[in-house]
């Protein structure tokens, strides 16, 4: 084998000049809600993360992030462990499908006390590179956004919240898929570089470590007003989401058309737990997406969950309500009676 053959066989790590899409635009209310939580409630002390959902404009190739889902998780100053709930994510995907959306990225906050590197400043740590590459590979689309929120403290004590977006380079994702990128990060590892399981060529030299910046492709960002509101309690923040919260939300919005009252992603996710994930959730989500009238059966069900029908029992007086549930195809008779009597399944 010649030297040229050896060079050809070696993995070449180069910087990717541009992402596979033009830009990323974030729903300003969703982005602001995430930033406020990590700054005011968590004080940037521990990491927090969420999945980005939205659309890709076919003409402009711009990624439009319309809402952020926050999965169950445990965070420290350096790592956020996602404790993913398959049932909740199935409901989430059904909602997104009905809205004509899908998962388009990942967002996380960097804690102010994150591990420092003795070799210099860094943008993403080695563990963040691994997690971002893994999730981009799982996402399965080229238009995948990795957003980062951090706090930049000035010399005079001033602090500014920064919101940045990146795309993990194609070679980074390939290194992860091929098992070349070391996924086990040790406490004594330098966070500024990512270790390889075999030698690669980066920056004109053979190495077992690659500067993380090689893998980051900056993305232009802007904001927009998405189709959903974000006023309801955000899921998985350790706050119990009760029927009374749903009832309060519905009462406060009672002056709006019913479809507007439920056009809140976080509220919809709670309602979806009581619906058939394969039939009812995408159907109702499509109504929200098109801002179309909500069928009476669904309105009755949601009102029941909100507590307005808590006192109802299955009698001749409300038999017409149960019949409307049944006609709408909302669950078995036993489930319907349970909704009417207790507001739960």
């Amino acid at each position: 084998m010649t030297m040229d053959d050896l060079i050809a066989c070696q993995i070449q790590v180069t910087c990717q000049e541009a992402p596979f899409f033009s830009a990323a635009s974030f729903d300003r209310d969703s982005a602001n809600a995430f930033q406020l939580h990590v700054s005011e409630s968590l004080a940037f002390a521990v990491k927090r993360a969420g999945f980005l959902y939205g659309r890709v404009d076919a003409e402009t190739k711009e990624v439009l992030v319309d809402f952020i889902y926050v999965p169950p998780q445990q965070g420290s100053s350096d790592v956020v462990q996602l404790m993913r709930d398959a049932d909740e994510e199935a409901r989430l995907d059904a909602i997104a499908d009905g809205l004509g959306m899908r998962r388009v990225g990942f967002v996380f906050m960097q804690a102010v006390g994150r591990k420092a590197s003795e070799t210099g400043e860094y943008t993403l740590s080695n563990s963040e590179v691994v997690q971002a590459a893994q999730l981009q590979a799982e996402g399965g689309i080229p238009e995948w956004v990795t957003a980062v929120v951090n706090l930049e403290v000035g010399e005079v004590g001033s602090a500014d919240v920064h919101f940045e977006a990146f795309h993990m380079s194609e070679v980074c994702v390939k290194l992860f898929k091929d098992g070349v990128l070391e996924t086990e990060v040790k406490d004594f590892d330098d966070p500024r570089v990512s270790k390889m399981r075999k030698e690669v060529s980066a920056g004109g030299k053979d190495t077992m470590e690659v500067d993380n910046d090689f893998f980051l492709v900056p993305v232009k960002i802007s904001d927009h007003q998405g189709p959903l509101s974000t006023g309801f309690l955000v899921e998985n923040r350790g706050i119990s989401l009760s029927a009374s919260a749903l009832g309060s939300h519905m009462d406060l919005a009672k002056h709006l058309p019913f479809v507007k009252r439920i056009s809140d992603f976080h509220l919809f996710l709670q309602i979806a737990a009581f619906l058939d994930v394969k039939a009812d959730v995408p159907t109702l989500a499509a109504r929200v997406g098109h801002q179309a009238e909500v069928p009476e059966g669904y309105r009755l069900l949601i009102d029941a969950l909100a507590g307005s029908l808590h006192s109802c029992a299955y009698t001749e007086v409300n038999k017409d309500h149960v019949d409307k549930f049944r006609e709408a195809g909302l669950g078995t008779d036993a489930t319907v009676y349970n909704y009417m009597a207790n507001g739960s399944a």
Side-chain angles (χ1 to χ4, degrees):
M1 183 177 288
T2 67
M3 182 61 68
D4 289 340
D5 292 332
L6 289 172
I7 294 174
C9 290
Q10 192 172 38
I11 299 172
Q12 303 293 316
V13 178
T14 58
C15 293
Q16 184 175 318
E17 293 185 1
F20 296 118
F21 49 95
S22 62
S25 179
F26 294 81
D27 172 74
R28 60 181 66 94
D29 292 335
S30 295
N32 189 53
F34 186 84
Q35 290 183 126
L36 283 176
H37 178 63
V38 300
S39 61
E40 296 184 359
S41 299
L42 302 179
F44 283 91
V46 294
K47 294 189 68 171
R48 193 73 176 163
F51 286 112
L52 309 175
Y53 278 78
R55 306 151 284 149
V56 179
D57 189 293
E59 293 185 2
T60 66
K61 295 298 181 183
E62 182 179 28
V63 178
L64 302 169
V65 177
D66 289 322
F67 64 85
I68 299 174
Y69 160 69
V70 178
Q73 58 195 270
Q74 291 288 342
S76 67
S77 57
D78 290 301
V79 177
V80 59
Q81 180 182 2
L82 303 182
M83 305 165 68
R84 297 172 67 172
D85 183 329
D87 291 335
E88 187 168 77
E89 290 195 26
R91 294 191 291 272
L92 176 65
D93 290 338
I95 292 171
D97 184 61
L99 292 169
M101 301 179 189
R102 62 160 299 155
R103 187 177 295 176
V104 294
F106 180 64
V107 59
F108 64 89
M109 173 268 280
Q110 292 177 326
V112 292
R114 68 175 182 158
K115 183 180 177 181
S117 169
E118 296 180 356
T119 59
E121 296 293 325
Y122 61 92
T123 307
L124 261 63
S125 70
N126 43 14
S127 61
E128 289 167 346
V129 166
V130 170
Q131 187 173 45
Q134 176 187 1
L135 293 174
Q136 184 166 313
E138 178 188 316
I141 58 172
E143 306 91 351
W144 184 269
V145 180
T146 297
V148 183
V149 181
N150 56 40
L151 188 69
E152 190 169 289
V153 181
E155 294 181 359
V156 294
S158 61
D160 295 312
V161 177
H162 283 255
F163 198 105
E164 300 176 280
F166 300 95
H167 175 72
M168 304 308 292
S169 70
E170 186 176 25
V171 70
C172 177
V173 176
K174 184 176 185 342
L175 289 172
F176 171 79
K177 288 181 176 180
D178 293 347
V180 178
L181 178 64
E182 178 58 69
T183 57
E184 185 178 344
V185 177
K186 297 180 173 61
D187 290 340
F188 55 79
D189 288 341
D190 184 351
R192 192 179 63 82
V193 296
S194 293
K195 287 188 174 182
M196 302 293 117
R197 289 173 176 160
K198 61 185 294 186
E199 197 170 72
V200 300
S201 177
K205 64 178 182 178
D206 299 339
T207 181
M208 294 289 288
E209 294 181 339
V210 178
D211 191 306
N212 297 334
D213 284 350
F214 269 91
F215 300 134
L216 304 182
V217 186
V219 174
K220 296 178 182 178
I221 63 172
S222 60
D223 63 4
H224 68 278
Q225 188 65 54
L228 303 175
S229 60
T230 58
F232 195 68
L233 293 173
V234 177
E235 62 285 345
N236 300 316
R237 282 187 179 175
I239 302 173
S240 178
L241 300 180
S242 64
S244 61
L246 177 57
S248 298
H249 175 93
M250 297 300 286
D251 286 342
L252 288 172
K254 62 184 177 182
H255 62 288
L256 298 173
F258 196 89
V259 69
K260 282 287 187 184
R261 294 165 71 187
I262 63 171
S263 295
D264 183 304
F265 162 69
H266 305 292
L267 174 141
F268 204 147
L269 187 60
Q270 184 182 11
I271 293 173
F274 298 90
L275 299 174
D276 185 299
V277 71
K278 294 183 178 180
D280 297 327
V281 174
T283 298
L284 189 56
R287 293 277 176 168
V288 170
H290 293 94
Q291 290 294 286
E293 184 178 356
V294 177
E296 185 178 14
Y298 287 119
R299 295 201 303 271
L300 284 169
L301 174 57
I302 294 169
D303 281 339
L305 294 174
S308 61
L309 298 180
H310 267 21
S311 61
C312 291
Y314 182 55
T315 64
E316 291 299 320
V317 175
N318 62 29
K319 183 177 182 299
D320 60 327
H321 288 154
V322 176
D323 289 341
K324 288 173 181 176
F325 271 62
R326 188 187 296 112
E327 290 168 5
L330 301 177
T332 64
D333 285 353
T335 304
V336 170
Y337 303 156
N338 201 17
Y339 280 139
M340 297 297 291
N342 304 306
S344 65

